[in-house]
Amino acid sequence: MGYTIGQVAEKTGLSVHTLRYYEKEGLLPFIKKNSAGLRVFSDSDLGWLELIECLKATGLHLKGIKQYIDWYIEGDSTLQQRLDMFKQQKIRVEQQMAELQKHMNKINYKIELYTKAVKEGTLHPEKETA
């Protein structure tokens, strides 16, 4: 099925400007154009957008994403580079998750502390730590 850039923007939550920018930067090299010269996005293009947003959200810069796409286009000779990139990204995400868990532990501690303080009607200052 084919989608217009507006439909893709609506489906993905990305702006039309962002979609055009991604295409200009070479992140969407597979988009076809119809006889009128308008972009026609495929379901596969939507999958690429999902991957791009995933990689961006986990800290990979557009330059790194572009490198991955270039390797993909090059084919099987770059399988190891792609595997290594995803392994590195996994390590990065695991580090982010560990950091978030540390923050969650602090927040849970504060929730417990204040839940007890609300029940007792007071907060014992010696229990309040940063």
Side-chain angles (χ1 to χ4, degrees), residues 50-108:
E50 186 178 326
L51 178 60
I52 289 166
E53 290 305 297
C54 167
L55 293 172
K56 270 185 53 188
T58 59
L60 191 61
H61 298 289
L62 293 183
K63 183 178 177 182
I65 297 169
K66 173 70 167 91
Q67 177 63 71
Y68 167 73
I69 292 167
D70 290 345
W71 284 333
Y72 179 85
I73 291 169
E74 284 181 49
D76 289 348
S77 65
T78 65
L79 289 173
Q80 188 63 55
Q81 289 98 320
R82 290 182 270 166
L83 174 60
D84 292 344
M85 186 212 76
F86 278 105
K87 284 181 175 180
Q88 271 303 114
Q89 202 59 22
K90 180 182 181 205
I91 291 167
R92 194 173 292 137
V93 170
E94 288 170 342
Q95 291 168 342
Q96 291 170 344
M97 289 171 63
E99 190 68 22
L100 286 173
Q101 187 60 55
K102 190 170 92 176
H103 297 320
M104 182 61 80
N105 292 344
K106 177 61 87 173
I107 289 168
N108 284 333

